[in-house]
């Protein structure tokens, strides 16, 4: 925390908001109880770390979407402990499945209580909806995300047969 605050001081940044990445890389597990434990651990860790920053490091919570009661509880707890928003990954509506195997859609009424809780608490819900252009370019040394894409080939959206994305 001291190192990050020192760096933000050097940059003239008063407050930094930390967004989850590894906790929201899509459906980590199809098991709701495991997802709850992972999100709870992440949210408590962020509350602990950011709590040492005297309000200068804020954070975005990761709600467990496979257990909607717990998502409401995690939203409440996280905001009470310093979270300034929620982040939902792009797999909601594209690949995230509920316990019956059905696609969990962004407009699924079961999610409404979580969105309502966030609104009641005055925090935004952010959706990760796209990847950077580099994820659709050839995966070679000229790609600014080469190391990342080489280490995680499934992250690439490159499709040579699909034509240009930016035409």
């Amino acid at each position: 925390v001291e190192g990050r605050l020192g760096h933000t001081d050097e940059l003239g940044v008063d407050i930094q908001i930390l967004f989850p990445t590894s906790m929201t890389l899509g459906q980590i597990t199809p098991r709701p109880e495991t997802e709850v434990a992972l999100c709870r651990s992440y949210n408590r860790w962020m509350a602990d770390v950011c709590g040492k920053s005297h309000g200068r490091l804020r954070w975005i919570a990761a709600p467990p979407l496979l257990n909607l009661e717990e998502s409401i509880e995690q939203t409440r707890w996280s905001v009470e402990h310093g979270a300034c928003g929620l982040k939902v990954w792009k797999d909601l509506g594209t690949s995230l499945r509920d316990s019956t195997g059905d696609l969990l859609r962004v407009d699924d009424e079961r999610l409404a209580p979580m969105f309502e809780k966030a609104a009641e608490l005055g925090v935004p819900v952010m959706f990760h909806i796209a990847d950077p252009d580099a994820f659709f370019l050839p995966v070679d040394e000229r790609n600014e995300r080469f190391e990342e894409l080489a280490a995680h080939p499934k992250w690439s959206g490159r499709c040579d047969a699909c034509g240009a994305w930016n035409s």
Side-chain angles (χ1 to χ4, degrees):
V1 171
E2 288 179 24
R4 182 174 286 266
L5 292 177
H7 186 68
T8 58
D9 287 342
E10 290 172 17
L11 297 172
V13 174
D14 295 326
I15 296 173
Q16 183 178 32
I17 299 174
L18 307 176
F19 282 77
T21 52
S22 61
M23 284 308 301
T24 55
L25 290 177
Q27 189 170 11
I28 295 172
T29 176
R31 296 174 46 204
E33 66 279 6
T34 303
E35 184 195 37
V36 166
L38 290 169
C39 289
R40 183 182 296 136
S41 295
Y42 170 81
N43 292 328
R44 278 152 177 70
W45 175 67
M46 289 302 294
D48 181 56
V49 168
C50 292
K52 298 173 184 173
S53 73
H54 308 289
R56 293 194 53 208
L57 298 178
R58 303 294 309 274
W59 57 287
I60 303 297
L65 298 180
L66 298 179
N67 180 325
L68 298 173
E69 286 181 22
E70 186 64 25
S71 72
I72 294 166
E73 171 57 21
Q74 282 297 307
T75 297
R76 181 200 61 74
W77 187 93
S78 296
V79 172
E80 287 178 0
H81 291 85
C84 58
L86 305 177
K87 182 178 176 191
V88 176
W89 193 247
K90 63 187 172 191
D91 64 345
L92 177 62
T94 60
S95 62
L96 184 65
R97 305 264 172 201
D98 67 13
S99 62
T100 67
D102 290 336
L103 187 66
L104 190 58
R105 303 178 65 84
V106 174
D107 62 352
D108 191 307
E109 286 298 317
R110 295 174 291 178
L111 295 171
M114 180 188 71
F115 296 137
E116 290 165 2
K117 179 54 80 175
E120 174 189 319
L121 297 169
V123 296
V125 178
M126 288 145 286
F127 289 81
H128 184 293
I129 58 170
D131 287 318
D133 285 347
F135 280 60
F136 301 97
L137 298 173
V139 180
D140 59 26
E141 291 79 11
R142 294 173 298 194
N143 187 314
E144 66 184 42
R145 307 294 281 271
F146 174 68
E147 291 179 14
E148 191 173 4
L149 291 167
H152 305 281
K154 290 182 180 181
W155 292 4
S156 175
R158 178 72 182 172
C159 174
D160 291 323
C162 298
W165 288 96
N166 295 321
S167 59

